[in-house]
Amino acid sequence: KHQIQRAPRQPAAPADLMRAQAQAITTSVGELTGLLREAGDDAAALDTAELDRRLATQLPLLMRPEFPGLMRQALGQVTTPVQQRALLELNQYVIGAVEQLADSAVDLQWQQLNKLRELCDAAVDGGSEMLKATAEAMRGELDADFCNCLNCALEEEEARLRARGIQPLEEDRRWEALAAAADGGGGWEKQ
């Protein structure tokens, strides 16, 4: 059984994050401008490996929701065509990383839903004995990613129940409800 622990963190103030993100954009554009000047005016797009080496550590900051607005501000501050090109390279790099992350998230969700479907099919076909046997056979696949996906699905279902005016079970009774549902009963609502 995987227990997902989240370390409590003090979130940075939004203004501090925006300043750090704006600084990361400025620094990145400066570095890319230098690279483009070295490569010359007729250079093709910058090498992905070089972009990864210089920008990958900044991605968590660059990929924040404020990125488009800060890029518009940065566009107003560039004065040369090479700076404009550096800004374009940065934008394309960050958009590519976001798209790659989104594709990976979709793939991961699909994998986790297939695992859940296999468990649900086992429960429907053979009750808790078949569910237990299937879960035991899948033990190596029921990892932290699966637990996170399952917890997210449970939270979404509880939110839907609350929106309908139904009080869901407390967190420590969720697994009892899952077992009851696997045996053909309900179990998500307080009795």
Side-chain angles (χ1 to χ4, degrees):
K1 182 174 172 181
H2 287 277
Q3 196 71 344
I4 307 303
Q5 299 291 325
R6 291 198 172 104
R9 289 189 283 174
Q10 289 292 345
D16 291 343
L17 282 173
M18 283 186 63
R19 276 192 296 279
Q21 188 177 24
Q23 182 59 45
I25 290 170
T26 302
T27 302
S28 298
V29 168
E31 282 189 45
L32 296 179
T33 299
L35 281 176
L36 288 168
R37 284 191 177 124
E38 288 173 15
D41 291 336
D42 54 9
L46 292 174
D47 179 54
T48 304
E50 183 66 22
L51 288 172
D52 285 341
R53 190 176 73 71
R54 293 181 182 261
L55 301 176
T57 59
Q58 296 288 337
L59 276 175
L61 193 54
L62 292 170
M63 292 170 63
R64 292 190 40 79
E66 297 83 7
F67 180 76
L70 291 172
M71 284 295 283
R72 278 192 226 59
Q73 287 177 1
L75 183 59
Q77 297 170 359
V78 297
T79 57
T80 66
V82 80
Q83 287 175 325
Q84 288 176 340
R85 179 141 176 247
L87 199 61
L88 177 63
E89 291 280 347
L90 175 62
N91 191 56
Q92 289 173 335
Y93 181 79
V94 172
I95 287 173
V98 168
E99 288 172 348
Q100 188 177 17
L101 185 62
D103 290 345
S104 295
V106 167
D107 289 344
L108 182 62
Q109 184 178 19
W110 180 254
Q111 292 168 11
Q112 304 314 322
L113 288 175
N114 282 332
K115 293 174 193 177
L116 186 56
R117 180 175 313 253
E118 191 172 338
L119 290 169
C120 289
D121 288 345
V124 168
D125 294 343
S128 41
E129 287 301 316
M130 188 167 210
L131 174 61
K132 183 178 178 182
T134 303
E136 188 63 38
M138 295 174 64
R139 179 177 290 233
E141 299 174 56
L142 305 180
D143 54 6
D145 289 335
F146 177 76
C147 292
N148 285 335
C149 182
L150 189 56
N151 283 332
C152 183
L154 289 170
E155 288 170 8
E156 288 174 2
E157 181 61 23
E158 288 173 350
R160 281 191 283 273
L161 287 172
R162 283 188 189 95
R164 292 183 10 217
I166 300 169
Q167 180 62 36
L169 292 173
E170 291 83 24
E171 188 171 337
D172 59 339
R173 299 215 40 230
R174 284 181 180 171
W175 298 109
E176 292 174 30
L178 277 175
D183 283 334
W188 287 107
E189 302 149 2
K190 273 189 175 176
Q191 300 299 330

